[in-house]
Amino acid sequence: MKLIKKISDMRQWSKDKALRSYSIGLVPTMGALHKAHGMLIEKAVKENDFSVVSIFVNPSQFGPGEDYESYPRDLKSDLSLCRDLGVDAVFNPYPKEMILKDELTSIRVGEITSYMCGEFRPGHFEAVATVVAKLFNIVCPDRAYFGLKDYQQLRVIEKMNEDLKMGVDIVPLPTLREENGLAVSSRNSYLGERERKEAGFIYKALLRGKRMAEEGERDGSKISREVWEYIKKNIPKAEIDYAGIFHSGKLYPIKEIKDSFVIAAAVKMNRARLIDNIPVNLK
Ligand code: AMP
């Protein structure tokens, strides 16, 4: 397995594979790899001739007061996991090369970035789209793998890829959970044992909302209220950014439920901001 730091080296590696008509699968990550990353990586290794995992904690996607400095980092163990899973190259670029001081270009994906997390993290998705576009330009993957856990991020990247004709096959994979339902996340390391237990109620709240819809409730506001209150009741210290029902493609909050939608929540517990969602199709 190759560890590649320089953009020019990464480009050369990919060019060499493409010249010989090999396919390349990319898994973009911020490191601190866990079993959900492992799931994406395994799929990329299986579906492509060559696989690349990028590890880059992108400073520009963290807002002021967010956890950029304290975000968990463990390159040594990340490399060992990638090696074990049969990854061909890890791209771990230098921040100064990835983000130029005098940069003037960024990618803003319209309306869908103004709802859900976009409302609470201004500029976040612009930074995400821009860094993923850079990764696509450098690695030139045939396929790129993303988790449904970050539903809005996935939609933003799909839309960017479609609008800008990037031609990458975006492969979404389902959310991997702990036994109590808590979505696996690098940020779960911020939680104590008791908080981890309580955090399982976020998923239970979303399931409750799903059940209401399945049983015939069509008032989106009513379901959203129930999801919100269930979280508040079971995690009294939680600070809820949002909890409710959103359009599955356009991501705006839905008042009247039709066939497909997403139930999602963002909850702050201690230092962790946890996000989760369940895509629902009633058809
Ligand atoms: P991150 O390192 O947190 O930026 O995540 C890298 C990729 O892993 C993203 O596509 C995430 O959506 C995905 N991912 C993180 N946690 C999960 C999870 N619990 N289930 C599925 N995918 C996940």
Side-chain angles (χ1 to χ4, degrees), residues 28-30 34 36-37 39-40 71 146-147 149-150 153 174-176 184:
T29 81
M30 297 210 297
H34 48 62
H37 295 118
M39 167 186 73
L40 300 179
Y71 193 83
F146 294 90
K149 188 216 155 220
D150 298 274
Q153 170 175 286
T175 302
L176 202 70
V184 175

Side-chain angles (χ1 to χ4, degrees), residues 2-281:
K2 251 182 121 69
L3 171 61
I4 301 175
K5 307 281 291 183
K6 281 172 66 180
I7 291 174
S8 56
D9 291 344
M10 185 70 246
R11 231 190 258 291
Q12 192 53 50
W13 186 94
S14 288
K15 205 179 255 176
D16 177 57
K17 307 298 176 250
L19 269 175
R20 292 185 282 148
S21 299
Y22 287 127
S23 64
I24 298 175
L26 170 67
V27 182
T29 81
M30 297 210 297
L33 302 182
H34 48 62
K35 55 188 176 189
H37 295 118
M39 167 186 73
L40 300 179
I41 293 170
E42 275 175 357
K43 186 92 169 158
V45 168
K46 202 166 137 202
E47 287 187 348
N48 299 278
D49 296 317
F50 286 88
S51 55
V52 179
V53 173
S54 63
I55 298 181
F56 182 59
V57 185
N58 174 26
S60 55
Q61 72 186 63
F62 290 77
E66 290 188 357
D67 55 345
Y68 174 66
E69 298 298 338
S70 60
Y71 193 83
R73 291 165 171 86
D74 191 347
L75 186 61
K76 210 170 148 208
S77 113
D78 290 350
L79 292 177
S80 139
L81 177 76
C82 288
R83 206 170 288 118
D84 288 350
L85 294 177
V87 170
D88 296 294
V90 168
F91 179 45
N92 177 225
Y94 299 110
K96 278 192 185 140
E97 214 194 351
M98 273 305 265
I99 302 173
L100 302 178
K101 258 205 195 121
D102 59 351
E103 219 167 71
L104 293 174
T105 311
S106 71
I107 294 181
R108 196 184 65 81
V109 179
E111 209 191 334
I112 58 171
T113 57
S114 57
Y115 307 110
M116 296 170 71
C117 288
E119 204 185 319
F120 299 89
R121 303 186 75 187
H124 170 73
F125 288 112
E126 193 165 331
V128 169
T130 304
V131 80
V132 172
K134 288 178 191 181
L135 289 169
F136 284 4
N137 282 336
I138 297 164
V139 178
C140 302
D142 296 275
R143 302 185 187 86
Y145 297 78
F146 294 90
L148 272 158
K149 188 216 155 220
D150 298 274
Y151 188 88
Q152 189 168 18
Q153 170 175 286
L154 171 68
R155 284 292 306 130
V156 166
I157 287 156
E158 282 174 341
K159 199 70 189 95
M160 168 185 80
N161 183 57
E162 183 188 8
D163 291 353
L164 298 182
K165 326 291 178 211
M166 291 175 155
V168 178
D169 186 3
I170 306 291
V171 184
L173 288 177
T175 302
L176 202 70
R177 303 180 178 282
E178 304 289 358
E179 227 166 87
N180 70 346
L182 171 64
V184 175
S185 162
S186 307
R187 288 189 169 100
N188 292 352
S189 64
Y190 298 155
L191 302 173
E193 204 177 315
R194 194 177 150 176
E195 288 168 326
R196 253 178 208 249
K197 254 190 207 158
E198 282 187 353
F201 283 107
I202 301 170
Y203 181 54
K204 292 190 183 83
L206 303 180
L207 283 177
R208 212 175 159 86
K210 181 179 180 211
R211 201 170 322 118
M212 282 172 79
E214 283 168 347
E215 284 168 3
E217 181 57 66
R218 289 293 168 267
D219 183 344
S221 318
K222 205 166 164 184
I223 299 181
S224 297
R225 209 175 316 121
E226 174 64 24
V227 171
W228 186 293
E229 278 165 13
Y230 187 84
I231 295 173
K232 203 65 220 161
K233 190 175 88 193
N234 289 287
I235 321 175
K237 280 198 190 140
E239 196 186 309
I240 303 172
D241 274 352
Y242 62 84
I245 298 219
F246 301 88
H247 190 279
S248 49
K250 303 206 165 140
L251 306 190
Y252 52 74
I254 288 180
K255 289 213 175 79
E256 196 192 331
I257 287 177
K258 302 236 165 68
D259 293 333
S260 80
F261 54 89
V262 59
I263 309 186
V267 176
K268 286 188 198 140
M269 285 180 77
N270 202 349
R271 276 167 63 222
R273 183 176 184 278
L274 307 172
I275 55 170
D276 200 353
N277 71 84
I278 311 182
V280 183
N281 194 340

